[in-house]
Amino acid sequence: MDKLIISGGKPLQGTVAISGMKNAALPILFACALNKEPCILHNVPAVKDIETTVGILSEMGVTIRYLSPTSLEINGKDFKPCTSPNTLVRRIRASSYLMGVELGLSGQTRIAFPGGCDFDGGRPLDLHMKGFEAMGAEMRTYHDGYTGEAPDGLFGAKIYLNKASVGATVNLMLAATLTPGHTVISNAAREPHIVSLARFLNECGANILNAGTSEIQIEGVASLHGCTYRIPPDMIEAGTYMAIAAATGGPITLTGVYPEHLQATIDKLCEMGAHITANNALETVTVSAGDQLTAIELETQPYPGFPTDMQPQFAALMAVAKGTSIIRENIINGRFAYLEQLKRTGVKTIGEAKDTACIEGVERLTAANMTATDLRGGAAMVMVALMAEGISEIRNVHLIDRGYDDIEGKLSALGADIIRRSEDAPSAPAGSSPLMTSSLPTP
Ligand code: EPZ
């Protein structure tokens, strides 16, 4: 396993190209298994969760050919339902999408418990199950996974989600695409990745209406055909680099972004005092820090509200903002495990409950060694390490690699002093004065 070694306190500026959206690419890759004709996907991010998904689908008979590091040709003709490899399935949350695909294709599913970032409150799949049951499947939990059976095949149904769950919305869209009849998903998630999945499936001949609203209508079709599709930019990777610009000075210009997906993040960064210009036509956003970040109150909400996946990165900004900030986490229970690690750099909380944190800004942070707890918490650790004077190390980088394409390469190009080493490589004493990169141990 790897660690990142960061010598912080350097102003960052320049241009960074944003990769394709992980959480759109994942369901779209699984959706390719519904299709007997080849599809070509462009702008697929080169991140670990995609690599795992490619591994799962390949083991299940899907042929996947890399045309470039970010373009894939995927042929689902020989996909074999109910043959998923347990070890890989347990690595990612998105492997739950196999249930929708398998039930929609064959009326049967069997998968190990999906993994993914582990939050204190757990990540139940009850809404997925209820939806499949409404469509005629009998779902069961066995000792290490799920099975489902719809002996007569699924049928179209009206499904109400009592939470606007991203995963349940995706899974039910996948299940309904080839299912005879009309399916309605009410209180559906409205995230851009849902819209992107619907666009992709419709390009392949599906009949999905109103994705992006809270009532999605799906008329099942008999089969899909091949298409070429470009994955939209990752709004969370973009938000993270915007927060990094606010933390380290900037200006940093992000290219290949859709500013309309970033409104909630832009709004909160401006409230904290950052300067932002967005250009829809050029698909760019430029961010620079103001004189002094100021405290804010933040509440996570389903899209178009403030995303839970940006909450830890904002905690890192609040750590140096003037005054006391408050975060209320409404989407994912227990998403504050990362705070204990941030505190090693001097981040000060003055109150924490399961879903609330109060952070009092301090003047400066000090370098420290940290261990990533999850993907976005890991990104927050990178941010505090970039702000702190001296050398910090972040272990468990594989969690950050799940969703950030070449984070050390992109940050180095912005002027950061950051390198990746094996966790076995000797550590510099935490907080020691900045070493030149060249004096760090070589791989
Ligand atoms: C997706 O997870 C994303 N993952 C997450 O991104 C993101 O944090 C989350 O949506 C919220 O935006 C992928 O797209 C692969 P949910 P998902 O179903 O689908 C409750 C990242 O950092 N719930 O909207 O798991 C439960 O409390 C990751 O990129 C139920 O109670 O999100 C859950 O925590 C992490 N029952 C919350 O809703 C259910 O059946 C949000 O779940 C489903 C959800």
Side-chain angles (χ1 to χ4, degrees):
M1 283 203 276
D2 290 344
K3 61 185 177 185
L4 291 174
I5 305 173
I6 297 173
S7 178
K10 302 195 165 41
L12 304 192
Q13 57 180 30
T15 299
V16 59
I18 297 305
S19 301
M21 194 185 325
K22 165 183 83 82
N23 289 345
L26 290 169
I28 289 173
L29 277 168
F30 283 106
C32 288
L34 290 170
N35 199 329
K36 302 291 170 212
E37 293 186 14
C39 293
I40 294 177
L41 301 179
H42 294 301
N43 205 31
V44 179
V47 298
K48 208 77 198 158
D49 278 11
I50 296 293
E51 216 179 275
T52 305
T53 303
V54 166
I56 293 172
L57 290 171
S58 301
E59 288 209 28
M60 298 180 80
V62 177
T63 309
I64 302 182
R65 202 159 62 92
Y66 275 89
L67 308 174
S68 78
T70 55
S71 292
L72 279 68
E73 186 186 62
I74 302 135
N75 192 335
K77 176 168 64 71
D78 297 322
F79 175 72
K80 288 179 218 58
C82 304
T83 61
S84 52
N86 292 351
T87 312
L88 292 182
V89 164
R90 287 196 196 101
R91 281 193 198 152
I92 56 169
R93 170 81 167 173
S95 48
S96 64
Y97 301 155
L98 278 172
M99 289 193 285
V101 169
E102 293 182 339
L103 284 168
L105 271 177
S106 68
Q108 279 193 323
T109 185
R110 185 184 174 93
I111 64 162
F113 289 130
C117 288
D118 189 15
F119 302 118
D120 288 352
R123 297 175 78 185
L125 294 176
D126 56 308
L127 300 172
H128 305 228
M129 302 300 157
K130 274 170 78 178
F132 295 140
E133 283 177 348
M135 296 176 79
E138 194 174 319
M139 303 301 296
R140 288 219 173 86
T141 305
Y142 66 102
H143 63 283
D144 65 352
Y146 299 106
T147 59
E149 205 154 344
D152 301 322
L154 297 179
F155 46 77
K158 283 196 163 192
I159 301 159
Y160 171 77
L161 301 177
N162 67 20
K163 277 186 189 164
S165 153
V166 170
T169 305
V170 165
N171 233 338
L172 296 169
M173 286 167 72
L174 293 171
T177 294
L178 297 178
T179 291
H182 190 69
T183 297
V184 181
I185 309 171
S186 300
N187 197 27
R190 293 183 286 159
E191 270 68 4
H193 13 303
I194 303 289
V195 176
S196 180
L197 173 64
R199 284 200 180 133
F200 166 74
L201 285 167
N202 285 343
E203 289 276 323
C204 296
N207 187 352
I208 302 174
L209 290 176
N210 303 337
T213 75
S214 46
E215 188 164 285
I216 300 178
Q217 313 264 348
I218 303 163
E219 195 65 45
V221 296
S223 63
L224 299 176
H225 54 72
C227 82
T228 297
Y229 185 78
R230 187 175 172 81
I231 306 291
D234 194 308
M235 57 188 252
I236 305 300
E237 191 201 22
T240 304
Y241 282 98
M242 288 163 65
I244 287 171
T248 60
I252 293 178
T253 297
L254 285 63
T255 60
V257 291
Y258 294 168
E260 70 268 25
H261 290 173
L262 301 169
Q263 272 317 315
T265 302
I266 289 175
D267 187 61
K268 283 295 171 190
L269 282 174
C270 289
E271 198 181 325
M272 291 188 89
H275 301 301
I276 302 184
T277 49
N279 188 316
N280 284 306
L282 294 177
E283 298 184 349
T284 60
V285 172
T286 300
V287 183
S288 49
D291 295 337
Q292 162 75 57
L293 294 172
T294 52
I296 56 162
E297 287 191 23
L298 192 77
E299 197 164 336
T300 63
Q301 298 287 353
Y303 187 85
F306 186 87
T308 175
D309 292 346
M310 282 303 302
Q311 180 258 96
Q313 301 88 316
F314 267 69
L317 287 179
M318 291 167 175
V320 294
K322 193 172 166 55
T324 302
S325 297
I326 301 176
I327 301 176
R328 284 190 199 85
E329 172 58 63
N330 295 318
I331 308 293
I332 295 189
N333 292 330
R335 199 175 191 170
F336 285 119
Y338 68 88
L339 273 177
E340 281 311 308
Q341 299 291 317
L342 295 195
K343 285 180 196 167
R344 295 176 174 207
T345 64
V347 171
K348 189 173 171 197
T349 61
I350 54 166
E352 276 170 63
K354 196 164 176 48
D355 294 321
T356 309
C358 298
I359 298 172
E360 191 172 85
V362 294
E363 274 191 19
R364 67 179 57 82
L365 301 173
T366 49
N369 293 343
M370 292 168 273
T371 301
T373 47
D374 63 280
L375 164 57
R376 309 303 171 186
M381 289 169 214
V382 170
M383 285 179 60
V384 292
L386 289 170
M387 289 188 273
E389 291 285 339
I391 296 184
S392 298
E393 287 193 4
I394 301 165
R395 289 177 175 254
N396 268 358
V397 180
H398 64 280
L399 293 177
I400 299 174
D401 294 335
R402 304 178 67 129
Y404 291 95
D405 177 4
D406 187 21
I407 191 162
E408 71 273 24
K410 290 187 182 187
L411 286 172
S412 295
L414 294 171
D417 198 345
I418 174 171
I419 55 168
R420 176 185 291 258
R421 290 286 180 266
S422 156
E423 283 194 357
D424 301 332
S427 297
S432 54
S433 62
L435 288 175
M436 294 305 292
T437 304
S438 57
S439 64
L440 288 164
T442 46

